[in-house]
Amino acid sequence: MKKLIIVVITVILALPVHLFSQNKTDSLVSFSGIKFHSEFEQQALKSYIQNKKDTFNLFLAIDENMTTEIASGYRFIYNKAIAELYKQKIETKNPERKIRMLYSTVHNKFLKKYNENEYFPFIFKEGTYNCVSASLLFSLVFDQLKIPYKVMASKSHIYLIANPGNNSIVIETTNPAFENSIFNGDFKEQYVTNLRKSKLISEDDYKSKSIEEIFATRFNELTEVKVSNLPGFQYYNMALTKAVDQDIDKAYDLAQKAYYFYPDQQVKTLFYSALAYKLNKCEFNKMEDVDLLTQYAKLDPSNTNQISRIFDVMLAKNLQYTDRSKNIESYYQRLKSQISNQSILEEIGFNYYMTRAYSKKYDLTGSAYFARQALKFKPNQKDAISLFEACLQNDLQSTDISVSYLDSLNSYDKELNNEELSSIISEHKNLLYLKIAKRAFINKNIIEGEKYLSLFETNFKLPFKKPDMKYTLENTYYEYAAYYAHKKNKAMVEKIISRGLKLVPNSNMIQSARDNYPIRVITKMQVVRN
């Protein structure tokens, strides 16, 4: 039997069960994210989700060729069979008799031939059925006749247990024979790898048993399920069939719907495996491709490294092309808007802005913004700090020296709010103080020059951390002292030189400012004659 989820229906005298209520605790798959294979399916699932009724069309929606007209024909046949039961006054019978009557009628009317690879619509089309489709049919009948029931799932066979009081009735609906599904080695290995990552198998089992043994063992375990999971069974079975046929795109879409209705670990593993395969093959050239990574992040939120690597691949594939590189901003925003896990947001945010910064390696001015954004996520990351420093250094070399750039540095400091980064910004502010002061002295604007030189002296602390700081400092004090040397103000020259030598003792350049005193020229008329 190819179908690895088999259904058991236990009929009990209990309070009525509301069918197919969505598991509210599991939000790994949202209805808005489901990809429908037909308009009929979309309407059937939407109607059910909104109104919690019409499970008949919901079960028929597995067929991608289903139409409203065909569904109406099948519903007519079904209703005719129910009408026959009412003609026999089934509602007046005791529970045991009621169950025997409906079982006989339904089985003889609809279930003609067992076929392991069938789905609900084929019951009406050809009379063929399997464990899942037959159980779906009986669930409809039980619900309509107000017979309470619950659903169990097994991977090996199917049976019904009617239990009106203390006496149970075992009703076999399908052939319990089981055959192993045929999977290729790559799929089996991926499946077992995911079990290991999810810690559903121990390391000892993984090392001591073969892939084949683990795969076979895991696919033969009994699983108890809820009535609310029913729609997911045939989606899961069809997803398995598509996976076996290597139609992974369809397997993924079907597994997604299966998990929406049946958030079971086994379904999740199949869903995860199909998703990992799609991501590995994805070119990320469409906006909706981003949703694959969103789904991966929801299924395995602890695997931030792998999520980050896939995101890096997405960025790299798009940055290779001039017509696609403009899309990466919208790709990032779409991904970010769908993820709430802070660790993942931090990782992809940092990677996004660092990638954008590096993509402008020949334009450090353009890189600066992205480097700062990256540092907001990881303020102590060495590569980001180095890039940020390079951007600041480039700004000081390529930007016109102006007081307005000081405002930019102050805004960076406030924006980043980090002690280590504040120290780096402070170094560049000190260098800028010197450059502004030097330019002012050259332009004979002594008041402005003194203002910024004093700011430097107040904020700077030895030793020199930047290689060009010492050179700029010596030049600034030289220009300041030279100005007063030209004015023949020896006292000011010596005072300024003394200030400079406190920072750079024995500096020849600073002391050479004395050479700027005007040279006195003695003419013949000034010669004293004896």
Side-chain angles (χ1 to χ4, degrees):
M1 183 184 297
K2 281 188 178 180
K3 299 300 166 258
L4 304 179
I5 288 291
I6 315 297
V7 178
V8 179
I9 299 182
T10 304
V11 183
I12 57 174
L13 288 177
L15 293 174
V17 178
H18 296 289
L19 281 176
F20 316 125
S21 58
Q22 171 67 1
N23 186 343
K24 300 298 184 183
T25 63
D26 196 301
S27 59
L28 298 185
V29 175
S30 63
F31 183 76
S32 61
I34 292 176
K35 183 177 180 180
F36 303 101
H37 58 214
S38 70
E39 183 178 347
F40 180 89
E41 181 190 41
Q42 183 175 8
Q43 291 303 316
L45 268 67
K46 184 177 180 181
S47 176
Y48 166 72
I49 295 301
Q50 290 179 345
N51 305 316
K52 289 292 184 285
K53 61 182 182 180
D54 200 0
T55 52
F56 191 85
N57 277 1
L58 181 65
F59 296 155
L60 290 176
I62 190 72
D63 184 354
E64 61 185 20
N65 297 314
M66 184 58 59
T67 65
T68 303
E69 292 74 21
I70 295 174
S72 296
Y74 291 164
R75 189 187 293 271
F76 177 81
I77 296 171
Y78 169 80
N79 286 336
K80 186 177 179 181
I82 297 299
E84 291 179 7
L85 288 170
Y86 279 113
K87 284 182 180 180
Q88 300 174 44
K89 298 184 178 181
I90 189 171
E91 71 277 11
T92 66
K93 310 300 181 183
N94 63 46
E96 180 180 344
R97 180 60 181 160
K98 187 184 294 186
I99 292 166
R100 290 185 183 277
M101 283 179 63
L102 74 85
Y103 175 79
S104 178
T105 299
V106 170
H107 206 288
N108 293 336
K109 181 71 176 178
F110 296 108
L111 307 181
K112 306 298 183 183
K113 181 182 178 181
Y114 175 82
N115 187 336
E116 66 177 20
N117 192 25
E118 292 295 0
Y119 303 96
F120 186 70
F122 281 85
I123 289 177
F124 304 95
K125 185 178 181 180
E126 299 176 358
T128 54
Y129 68 98
N130 70 356
C131 55
V132 173
S133 61
S135 297
L136 297 179
L137 177 62
F138 275 103
S139 74
L140 291 171
V141 178
F142 290 151
D143 193 50
Q144 189 160 351
L145 295 177
K146 295 181 173 54
I147 298 175
Y149 65 95
K150 67 179 181 179
V151 182
M152 302 290 291
S154 166
K155 300 167 190 171
S156 58
H157 64 283
I158 181 170
Y159 56 91
L160 303 176
I161 301 177
N163 190 7
N166 296 325
N167 300 315
S168 63
I169 301 174
V170 178
I171 307 171
E172 290 288 347
T173 62
T174 65
N175 184 351
F178 178 83
E179 296 175 7
N180 288 324
S181 293
I182 301 172
F183 293 92
N184 65 27
D186 289 341
F187 185 88
K188 290 180 180 180
E189 185 172 354
Q190 180 68 57
Y191 189 89
V192 173
T193 298
N194 288 330
L195 291 176
R196 183 190 185 193
K197 285 182 178 179
S198 301
K199 296 184 178 178
L200 295 176
I201 57 174
S202 67
E203 283 297 312
D204 288 340
D205 278 347
Y206 183 80
K207 293 176 181 178
S208 62
K209 297 178 182 178
S210 67
I211 296 294
E212 294 284 340
E213 181 181 356
I214 295 172
F215 183 82
T217 300
R218 295 298 297 191
F219 263 83
N220 280 295
E221 292 178 351
L222 180 68
T223 305
E224 182 176 356
V225 300
K226 300 177 182 178
V227 174
S228 61
N229 304 137
L230 270 171
F233 295 153
Q234 61 178 350
Y235 277 122
Y236 174 74
N237 282 346
M238 185 175 281
L240 278 174
T241 299
K242 296 299 181 183
V244 170
D245 294 338
Q246 295 298 295
D247 189 348
I248 305 300
D249 287 337
K250 286 188 176 180
Y252 171 78
D253 293 338
L254 290 162
Q256 185 182 47
K257 283 173 275 197
Y259 192 82
Y260 179 78
F261 287 107
Y262 183 25
D264 173 77
Q265 183 60 47
Q266 181 176 332
V267 180
K268 182 179 180 180
T269 300
L270 175 64
F271 185 26
Y272 186 97
S273 299
L275 177 57
Y277 185 91
K278 281 176 67 70
L279 283 169
N280 188 50
K281 301 292 183 181
C282 189
E283 287 299 317
F284 297 106
N285 55 5
K286 302 186 296 295
M287 181 65 73
E288 55 265 32
D289 290 341
V290 177
D291 299 338
L292 293 175
L293 182 53
T294 299
Q295 188 64 78
Y296 187 90
K298 290 181 178 180
L299 284 173
D300 194 5
S302 63
N303 197 354
T304 53
N305 288 337
Q306 181 64 12
I307 294 166
S308 176
R309 282 192 289 269
I310 296 172
F311 182 62
D312 287 346
V313 170
M314 181 193 300
L315 296 177
K317 284 181 178 289
N318 284 278
L319 285 171
Q320 291 176 12
Y321 303 93
T322 56
D323 60 330
R324 285 169 56 181
S325 60
K326 62 181 181 295
N327 297 330
I328 63 174
E329 166 69 20
S330 54
Y331 282 14
Y332 169 61
Q333 294 299 333
R334 184 180 181 110
L335 180 62
K336 185 176 74 168
S337 68
Q338 299 179 93
I339 293 176
S340 58
N341 184 294
Q342 290 302 310
S343 295
I344 297 174
L345 287 173
E346 177 183 300
E347 202 65 34
I348 64 171
F350 176 79
N351 286 13
Y352 169 73
Y353 285 111
M354 283 297 286
T355 299
R356 292 297 304 271
Y358 281 134
S359 70
K360 294 180 175 292
K361 60 185 177 181
Y362 299 115
D363 176 19
L364 285 177
T365 301
S367 292
Y369 167 78
F370 297 113
R372 292 198 307 276
Q373 301 310 307
L375 284 167
K376 290 179 182 179
F377 290 98
K378 296 185 179 182
N380 299 316
Q381 212 277 344
K382 291 183 178 180
D383 291 338
I385 292 173
S386 296
L387 180 59
F388 178 58
E389 284 194 272
C391 291
L392 292 182
Q393 187 67 30
N394 176 74
D395 286 346
L396 287 177
Q397 292 175 352
S398 61
T399 305
D400 289 338
I401 302 303
S402 65
V403 176
S404 64
Y405 188 61
L406 274 176
D407 294 334
S408 296
L409 290 174
N410 287 327
S411 70
Y412 299 163
D413 197 6
K414 183 178 180 180
E415 176 185 359
L416 296 172
N417 191 27
N418 176 269
E419 185 176 347
E420 182 177 358
L421 297 175
S422 291
S423 177
I424 293 170
I425 293 170
S426 179
E427 281 292 305
H428 285 81
K429 284 170 63 176
N430 286 333
L431 185 57
L432 186 57
Y433 289 147
L434 288 176
K435 290 191 173 188
I436 293 174
K438 176 184 173 182
R439 184 186 62 184
F441 293 141
I442 292 174
N443 293 330
K444 299 179 173 54
N445 187 345
I446 303 304
I447 294 176
E448 178 175 285
E450 176 60 37
K451 172 185 174 181
Y452 286 99
L453 186 60
S454 295
L455 283 170
F456 168 79
E457 290 175 340
T458 300
N459 290 280
F460 177 74
K461 292 180 177 58
L462 289 170
F464 294 104
K465 296 177 183 178
K466 301 185 65 59
D468 55 343
M469 180 75 79
K470 179 174 177 290
Y471 174 78
T472 305
L473 182 150
E474 289 180 301
N475 272 272
T476 302
Y477 280 101
Y478 169 84
E479 294 294 347
Y480 193 8
Y483 170 82
Y484 281 106
H486 285 294
K487 294 289 186 179
K488 303 180 183 178
N489 190 334
K490 185 175 181 180
M492 282 299 298
V493 170
E494 295 305 318
K495 181 178 179 180
I496 293 167
I497 289 175
S498 177
R499 286 167 64 182
L501 293 177
K502 289 179 181 178
L503 297 169
V504 188
N506 303 317
S507 169
N508 292 329
M509 175 171 284
I510 294 175
Q511 295 182 79
S512 68
R514 298 186 181 103
D515 297 338
N516 287 276
Y517 286 116
I519 299 174
R520 184 178 180 186
V521 179
I522 300 176
T523 64
K524 290 183 179 180
M525 295 181 61
Q526 293 174 311
V527 175
V528 178
R529 299 170 184 241
N530 295 325

